[in-house]
Amino acid sequence: MIKKTLWYLMLILLLWTATAEAQSPAIVNGVAWLKAVQSSDGSWTNSSSSSTDFYTTASVLESFATLGDTSAAYTNGLTWLQTADAKSTTYLAPRIKLTNTLGGDATNDLNTLLSYRNSGSGWGGYLIQESSNFHTSLALQALKSANYTDPTIINPALAYLTTSQNADGGWGFYAGDSSNVYMTAVVSATLQQFPQMTVIANAVGKTSVFLIAHQNSDGGFGSSPSTVYETALAFIALVGNGQTQGLPLQNAVNYLTTTQ
């Protein structure tokens, strides 16, 4: 069965490409599928491992919140998320984002996340864990959602990401790691949320070149074969960087619509 993570990101993509068509068949069917596969405890499971339940559930709920869906599936999922044990950056960051989206109080989670920061750098998964592009991106997204602006925290993390960019314009999971579509799209989308100073604008500009160069012949993105997950992320990163038309975007949309 196709992983649920792929489908909720496809839903997010459809929201971006058809914001005036919230009742389009593709979105309606996607929401119905998500509700049908919700676990009895209110969570959504990404795979056979329960370790991914938290991240997946947070992302599904973010999609529902964007749609304004406050059905029982949403409220049950929210209850599960709010009472679940969140200790790592991977889990704290999405809960902070969702809590802020709903106008709630994420102070405790935010303080824990800030305590994980490596001085003069970014974030790892836990306290005193080496910084990575993945965790630093998640943390910056969470801080942005909380309107957190302390430059002594934000600027070193942004510098960590920009200096970790590879010569080909992409990013790997950590500094020095080979570039891949997934991390390049995630970092690009993160940097786009911050003021486009020259260094950030240049870094983001290079990501579009990298992503388009790594689009597969079927219109999707991913390390052969294409995946809905990476295609959705790449599309969002490209649109956020000002790509509004052209074959790369249309081919990506065609790939997504034909794989539902």
Side-chain angles (χ1 to χ4, degrees), residues 2-191:
I2 297 176
K3 289 184 178 180
K4 298 171 181 59
T5 308
L6 311 186
W7 289 100
Y8 71 66
L9 278 173
M10 189 181 99
L11 176 60
I12 292 173
L13 171 68
L14 291 171
L15 291 171
W16 280 59
T17 58
T19 53
E21 303 174 25
Q23 297 305 312
S24 70
I27 292 178
V28 170
N29 292 338
V31 169
W33 186 86
L34 286 169
K35 291 178 178 179
V37 298
Q38 186 177 24
S39 300
S40 59
D41 64 2
S43 67
W44 278 269
T45 304
N46 183 53
S47 67
S48 59
S49 172
S50 62
S51 63
T52 57
D53 289 2
F54 194 100
Y55 192 77
T56 303
T57 300
S59 298
V60 174
L61 291 173
E62 186 177 358
S63 295
F64 282 9
T66 303
L67 280 170
D69 187 320
T70 57
S71 62
Y74 173 78
T75 56
N76 291 339
L78 187 60
T79 298
W80 182 91
L81 190 79
Q82 290 173 333
T83 56
D85 189 21
K87 293 182 178 179
S88 72
T89 301
T90 307
Y91 300 161
L92 288 166
R95 187 159 72 180
I96 291 168
K97 285 179 60 181
L98 184 63
T99 300
N100 288 320
T101 297
L102 300 176
D105 184 4
T107 302
N108 289 338
D109 281 347
L110 185 61
N111 287 338
T112 302
L113 181 68
L114 288 170
S115 74
Y116 289 174
R117 186 183 73 93
N118 293 314
S119 180
S121 181
W123 275 261
Y126 295 91
L127 179 66
I128 316 178
Q129 188 175 75
E130 185 178 359
S131 298
S132 72
N133 294 324
F134 175 67
H135 292 111
T136 300
S137 294
L138 292 184
L140 283 171
Q141 290 175 25
L143 295 182
K144 186 66 175 180
S145 74
N147 294 318
Y148 187 90
T149 59
D150 185 346
T152 65
I153 304 295
I154 300 294
N155 290 346
L158 291 172
Y160 172 82
L161 291 179
T162 56
T163 56
S164 296
Q165 186 174 30
N166 294 324
D168 60 9
W171 277 271
F173 287 96
Y174 50 86
D177 186 29
S178 298
S179 300
N180 61 73
V181 167
Y182 171 75
M183 274 314 308
T184 300
V186 168
V187 176
S188 178
T190 300
L191 292 177

Side-chain angles (χ1 to χ4, degrees), residues 192-207:
Q192 289 169 27
Q193 297 180 42
F194 293 87
Q196 296 297 288
M197 298 175 290
T198 300
V199 64
I200 293 179
N202 288 342
V204 171
K206 293 176 183 177
T207 65

